[in-house]
């Protein structure tokens, strides 16, 4: 299991080296007040401790992504380990840190507002639609997944619709109430459960000497599905996920100091990468090869893998806790997905959120649309979510690139992973049945040409933005903190 262990060690080293480099490159301002104080409203802008913010951020970005995605990505073999480690350090964690910190510098702004400022006003409308669509898909998927698991756990004795109604009721409360009432109180405990279950599975793999495959670029997928570009959409959370760009502003509004950003944003992405490595390793090693893994996935989905692996490695009690963790995970991302959607729409329409009625009339239509979407085939929703998710990641990385370019700093740290994923995003939608279903050679050509044209447009816009001296941050010099 050298590849598996080396991947985890690389992730940890990446936090202390590349994470520190990105922090220094961005330039933390110790004395600058954060939105938690400047915009304090007792609802969304509330200062909270670093441990609490970190665990909430981990649960916000995690969902079932670092569990289900790596399990399905394990069908590709050790190539999944490579993408998780490299993608997390150089793309995902950079993406999360830059979106979080740029949001802090701009009073907790969400991605559409940042895209408008740094990529042009037209992008505000495009990204706003993209972000709300993505969050609706996430919220809907994360209603269906835990409801189905609970329905199975109850052996069908409780109707699926009851579980869906129960989860929606919780989502409404979490979306409407101040961030410190439910999310701030419950999430740290849920985060601890997520970490303990993943660590338990990881230790179990090492103790039992699980036969985890070693480094190989060979495609082991039983169905012969191409590594490029499909792996990068199968494993998103744990490597790179645009959904995170919709979640980091929630915590950018509760962070007390800019110095805490590396732990909260970069660090929690690294933690998610470790969780993803563990579940990919479990899936690769425990089911008699890739054909056995494929058979179980076809029969019971990733949830069956989680249940079997958890029970085998952790016993009945530990296995049950791990399964409960997997049920909690999507719920704790679904609620913040709807909360983010409410905040994005409120920012877009410039509607204050102190009044309950102002929150209510934005939130209720979102839940109504989501309830309709639950009637659509889950697999179809998930495929569209994957593409929308990585497209959002590309936009966020280009926002980070523009910020660094205007600042006269090394923007390639964001532009290189952003351009790579841009090629994958265009190629994917051109080649897949949910898109244009074109032959792969034409799709690859379209991917490279389309990406090249958009990068040229980026440099033109970047040069203009630098010449116009676009302000990188909101001026808060006139703010005086209450004693």
């Amino acid at each position: 299991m050298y590849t598996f262990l080396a991947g985890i060690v690389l992730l940890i080293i990446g936090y202390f080296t590349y994470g520190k480099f990105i922090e220094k490159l961005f330039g933390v301002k110790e004395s600058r007040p954060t939105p938690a104080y400047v915009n304090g409203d007792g609802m969304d802008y509330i200062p909270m401790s670093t441990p609490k913010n970190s665990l909430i951020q981990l649960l916000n970005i995690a969902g079932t992504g670092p569990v289900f995605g790596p399990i399905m990505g394990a069908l590709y073999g050790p190539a999944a380990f490579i993408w998780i480690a490299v993608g997390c350090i150089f793309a995902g964690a950079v993406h999360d840190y830059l979106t979080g910190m740029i949001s802090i510098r701009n009073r907790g702004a969400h991605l559409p507002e940042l895209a408008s400022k740094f990529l042009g006003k037209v992008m505000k409308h495009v990204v706003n639609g993209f972000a709300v669509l993505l969050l609706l898909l996430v919220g809907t998927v994360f209603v269906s997944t835990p409801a189905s698991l609970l329905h199975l756990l109850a052996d069908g004795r409780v109707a699926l619709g009851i579980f869906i109604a129960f989860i929606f009721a919780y989502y409404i409360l979490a979306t409407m109430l101040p961030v410190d009432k439910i999310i701030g109180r419950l999430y740290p405990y849920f985060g601890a459960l997520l970490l303990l279950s993943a660590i338990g599975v990881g230790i179990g793999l090492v103790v039992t000497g699980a036969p985890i495959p070693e480094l190989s670029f060979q495609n082991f997928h039983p169905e012969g599905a191409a590594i490029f570009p499909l792996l990068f959409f199968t494993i998103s959370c744990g490597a790179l996920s645009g959904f995170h760009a919709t979640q980091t502003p929630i915590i950018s509004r509760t962070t007390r100091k800019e110095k805490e950003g590396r732990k909260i944003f970069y660090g929690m992405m690294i933690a998610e990468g470790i969780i993803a490595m563990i579940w990919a390793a479990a899936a690769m090693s425990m089911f008699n090869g890739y054909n056995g893994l494929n058979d179980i996935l076809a029969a019971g989905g990733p949830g069956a893998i989680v249940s079997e692996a958890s029970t085998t490695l952790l016993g009945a009690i530990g296995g049950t806790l791990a399964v409960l963790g997997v049920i909690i995970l999507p719920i704790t991302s679904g609620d913040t997905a709807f909360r983010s959607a409410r905040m994005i729409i409120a920012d877009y329409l410039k509607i204050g959120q102190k009044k309950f009625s102002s929150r209510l009339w934005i939130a209720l239509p979102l839940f109504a649309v989501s309830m309709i979407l639950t009637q659509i085939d889950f697999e179809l929703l998930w495929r569209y979510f994957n593409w929308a998710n990585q497209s959002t990641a590309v936009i966020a990385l280009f926002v980070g690139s523009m910020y660094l370019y205007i600042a006269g700093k090394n923007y390639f740290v964001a532009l290189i992973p952003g351009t790579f994923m841009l090629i994958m995003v265009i190629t994917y939608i051109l080649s897949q049945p949910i898109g244009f279903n074109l032959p792969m050679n034409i799709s690859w050509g379209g991917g490279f040409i389309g990406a090249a044209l958009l990068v040229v447009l980026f440099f033109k816009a970047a040069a203009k933005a630098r010449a116009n001296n676009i302000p990188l941050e909101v001026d808060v010099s006139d703010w005086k903190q209450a004693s």
Side-chain angles (χ1 to χ4, degrees), residues 389-422:
N389 186 40
Q390 297 304 62
S391 298
T392 305
V394 169
I395 293 169
L397 283 167
F398 272 81
V399 167
S401 302
M402 183 68 78
Y403 181 97
L404 294 173
Y405 186 97
I406 296 170
K409 297 181 178 181
N410 179 8
Y411 55 89
F412 287 107
V413 297
L415 185 62
I416 291 174
T419 303
F420 173 80
M421 281 308 302
L422 178 59

Side-chain angles (χ1 to χ4, degrees), residues 116-127:
S116 173
K117 180 174 183 176
F118 294 107
L119 300 181
K121 291 183 179 179
V122 173
M123 286 301 294
K124 177 178 182 178
H125 308 297
V126 173
V127 178

Side-chain angles (χ1 to χ4, degrees), residues 231-249:
L231 176 62
F232 308 101
F233 295 86
T234 305
I235 302 177
S236 51
C237 292
L240 170 66
S241 172
F243 173 63
H244 298 186
T246 68
Q247 300 301 291
T248 49

Side-chain angles (χ1 to χ4, degrees), residues 235-270:
I235 302 177
S236 51
C237 292
L240 170 66
S241 172
F243 173 63
H244 298 186
T246 68
Q247 300 301 291
T248 49
I250 294 177
I251 303 304
S252 76
R253 298 180 181 197
T254 61
T255 301
R256 297 177 303 181
K257 296 179 181 179
E258 286 193 3
K259 190 69 176 175
E260 298 170 357
R262 182 162 67 98
K263 292 178 182 177
I264 296 169
F265 302 122
Y266 198 100
M268 290 305 101
M269 183 62 211
I270 292 294

Side-chain angles (χ1 to χ4, degrees), residues 423-437:
I423 295 169
M424 297 300 136
V425 162
I426 297 174
T427 303
Y428 181 87
I429 201 64
L430 290 177
S431 64
Q432 293 304 296
I434 67 167
F436 296 92
N437 204 22

